[in-house]
Amino acid sequence: MINRTRMQLTIRNAAVLSVILIGLNLTVYIVMKQMLFAQVDKAMNGVNGTTTVATVSPQISSLKGLALDRAVTFRVAQMDRPVIQLLWTDEDEALPLPNKNGFTDEQLERLKPSKLDELYTVKAGNQYFRVLNIANSALSVSSGVEDVTYTVKTQQFLSNVSAEIGMLDRLRLILLLGGAAGLLVAIGAGFYLANRALIPIRLSLEKQQQFVSDASHELRTPLSVIQAHAELLLRHPDHTIEEDSKHVSTVLQEARRMNKLVGGLLTLARSDSNQLELERKPVRLDLIVRESVNKMEMLAEVKELILNAEIDDCIPLEADEERLHQLLAILLDNAIKYTSEGGVVRVVCRKLAHTVQLEVEDTGIGIAPEDLPRVFDRFYRGDKVRGREGGTGLGLAIARWIVERHGGKIRLESKPSVGTLVSVTLPL
């Protein structure tokens, strides 16, 4: 599934980057083309509406007697290149000038007017021309050599743009080559981005698989114990409850352990899907801490531990009271569980300027340095802890979720055979 998703993401990322690259190339080409033709088009539009040769050639005051021995050329808007004027008859033939206006028959064939009052580009031979055709139905020209009158149907203005077309061709080639290289880069970038995007997905899948594996392992153990003791009970149906009280007690103990495990799994599952909301209301943290400590005093006495509490008075919070009780129960239970007889468990709750500092410290077996980075992972337990008490490994994960949902931070420090300190900071 990961490989298929990576391929799909690579294709999509490469497609998006390619579309962006192609769009940029087209934009550059179009803008450059408009910039190159802007001055030429402005000059060509400047002659729009010209109806007589005299308007563009002041030396000629009349068309009568005009010797048609050359094409009329002139400059508009101080352009470096000339604008050439050709006259076309009603039969779409150029006026019969002796030198054919400097154009070959093939070029004249390509230059025949096809559009009126509209600028367009024509390739004539190996030259490119910007063309503007203007209709002139009432214009006539008489030859000064022969008594022949030509009716001019179209005035045509030409400007040689071969240099601009050549520049655009080179630009197009550069953009094509750059685009091809860019597509290869887009594929590589798409693959890189796909891998980056898959990192959290891969980690999430790995955690999910590990979570399912650990949950199955944890549930299998109590179920196996319950099944074994239930089978022993069935072998002696004539026994009384008192005679089989040991088996019944073991089944009840494992059922409670499994119920606790399932409850923790349900809490974490709901927290992952954001289905578990906090019921915030004004509470007194100092009262919650005192109540939690009082509940654990009996357990501490059974293990012959010293349970000390240093709690400031009147610490108001906007929080979920039930979750805070659960947090204290987890931290105190761990401290008492992993502290040997005669040890000390200390609970401190202080009110600071803008936060509340809650600390639970014990003199227990501690946690190995290599285990510290993973103590908040689900189902993770160090070898010493796993071999001694066999907890579910979900307590600290739930504790971190409770603290973070309240906008606080939780930190754990520990040294083997010295003890463990859990610090919780909550905003007031």
Side-chain angles (χ1 to χ4, degrees):
M1 185 182 70
I2 291 293
N3 291 332
R4 183 172 67 252
T5 304
R6 181 190 293 111
M7 182 61 65
Q8 292 175 350
L9 288 175
T10 299
I11 294 174
R12 292 176 183 176
N13 290 334
V16 171
L17 294 175
S18 298
V19 169
I20 295 175
L21 181 62
I22 293 173
L24 289 176
N25 286 349
L26 289 176
T27 302
V28 170
Y29 183 81
I30 293 172
V31 170
M32 183 60 68
K33 183 177 180 180
Q34 291 177 346
M35 290 177 62
L36 290 175
F37 286 162
Q39 189 176 4
V40 177
D41 291 349
K42 182 178 179 180
M44 299 294 287
N45 285 320
V47 300
N48 191 9
T50 301
T51 56
T52 65
V53 178
T55 59
V56 297
S57 183
Q59 295 83 1
I60 303 174
S61 59
S62 173
L63 296 177
K64 296 297 183 179
L66 175 65
L68 302 179
D69 59 350
R70 60 184 178 84
V72 179
T73 62
F74 53 94
R75 298 180 181 275
V76 179
Q78 298 180 352
M79 291 183 60
D80 294 334
R81 66 174 64 81
V83 174
I84 304 172
Q85 178 183 238
L86 293 181
L87 304 178
W88 293 83
T89 66
D90 53 359
E91 297 178 356
D92 285 336
E93 293 183 359
L95 291 180
L97 303 180
N99 61 356
K100 297 181 180 180
N101 305 325
F103 297 104
T104 64
D105 292 335
E106 181 182 357
Q107 288 178 318
L108 290 175
E109 184 67 24
R110 296 286 299 173
L111 291 173
K112 282 185 177 181
S114 58
K115 303 176 184 179
L116 294 177
D117 300 322
E118 181 180 346
L119 283 163
Y120 61 96
T121 304
V122 174
K123 182 180 181 181
N126 59 353
Q127 301 291 318
Y128 289 88
F129 294 92
R130 199 72 171 153
V131 180
L132 176 63
N133 300 312
I134 302 173
N136 289 279
S137 57
L139 183 64
S140 62
V141 177
S142 296
S143 173
V145 179
E146 299 178 0
D147 190 13
V148 179
T149 300
Y150 300 99
T151 300
V152 178
K153 179 182 179 180
T154 306
Q155 281 184 289
Q156 186 178 71
F157 298 95
L158 308 171
S159 181
N160 194 316
V161 291
S162 299
E164 285 79 1
I165 295 296
M167 187 178 299
L168 288 176
D169 289 340
R170 290 190 294 272
L171 177 62
R172 182 166 57 247
L173 178 61
I174 293 172
L175 292 177
L176 288 175
L177 294 177
L183 291 178
L184 296 178
V185 174
I187 295 175
F191 184 78
Y192 171 77
L193 293 175
N195 281 331
R196 294 285 298 177
L198 285 175
I199 289 176
I201 298 176
R202 188 184 298 109
L203 293 176
S204 178
L205 287 176
E206 291 176 356
K207 288 184 177 180
Q208 182 181 10
Q209 292 173 355
Q210 185 66 33
F211 183 83
V212 173
S213 176
D214 291 339
S216 301
H217 174 77
E218 296 293 338
L219 288 172
R220 184 169 59 247
T221 301
L223 286 174
S224 299
V225 173
I226 291 174
Q227 181 180 356
H229 286 273
E231 290 175 353
L232 290 174
L233 290 173
L234 288 175
R235 290 180 183 180
H236 305 283
D238 55 330
H239 285 190
T240 63
I241 295 178
E242 183 179 359
E243 291 175 331
D244 289 332
S245 61
K246 179 180 179 181
H247 300 304
V248 174
S249 175
T250 302
V251 169
L252 181 59
Q253 181 180 358
E254 292 300 321
R256 288 173 176 171
R257 180 172 179 267
M258 190 166 60
N259 182 63
K260 181 180 179 182
L261 175 62
V262 173
L265 290 173
L266 183 60
T267 298
L268 292 174
R270 288 179 175 177
S271 67
D272 288 341
S273 59
N274 294 323
Q275 295 179 357
L276 198 58
E277 297 294 335
L278 298 180
E279 298 181 4
R280 294 178 179 269
K281 60 182 180 179
V283 297
R284 289 271 302 275
L285 181 61
D286 55 307
L287 299 181
I288 294 175
V289 176
R290 293 183 191 277
E291 183 179 350
S292 299
V293 170
N294 292 334
K295 289 180 180 180
M296 290 294 180
E297 281 184 349
M298 182 63 67
L299 184 59
E301 290 179 3
V302 171
K303 292 194 65 175
E304 298 182 358
L305 302 179
I306 300 175
L307 182 57
N308 293 329
E310 301 175 13
I311 306 171
D312 290 348
D313 294 329
C314 191
I315 305 178
L317 279 182
E318 189 81 16
D320 189 321
E321 184 175 1
E322 181 181 352
R323 294 302 173 187
L324 291 181
H325 275 290
Q326 186 178 11
L327 171 64
L328 267 298
I330 291 172
L331 299 182
L332 290 174
D333 181 66
N334 283 344
I336 295 173
K337 183 186 298 183
Y338 303 125
T339 301
S340 303
E341 295 179 358
V344 178
V345 175
R346 187 172 65 95
V347 180
V348 178
C349 185
R350 297 190 182 94
K351 180 180 179 182
L352 305 179
H354 303 287
T355 59
V356 177
Q357 189 75 24
L358 175 64
E359 295 180 352
V360 177
E361 185 178 11
D362 62 66
T363 58
I365 61 175
I367 302 173
E370 60 271 17
D371 294 328
L372 282 177
R374 299 188 59 187
V375 291
F376 292 105
D377 292 350
R378 301 171 185 182
F379 293 109
Y380 185 80
R381 291 170 296 180
D383 293 337
K384 292 182 179 180
V385 176
R386 190 181 290 269
R388 177 168 178 171
E389 294 290 344
T392 63
L394 297 177
L396 288 178
I398 297 175
R400 181 175 64 176
W401 171 77
I402 294 173
V403 172
E404 291 179 350
R405 285 301 301 270
H406 281 86
K409 297 180 180 179
I410 184 170
R411 182 171 53 88
L412 187 145
E413 300 175 1
S414 182
K415 292 182 180 181
S417 303
V418 175
T420 301
L421 171 64
V422 180
S423 299
V424 174
T425 303
L426 296 174
L428 281 174

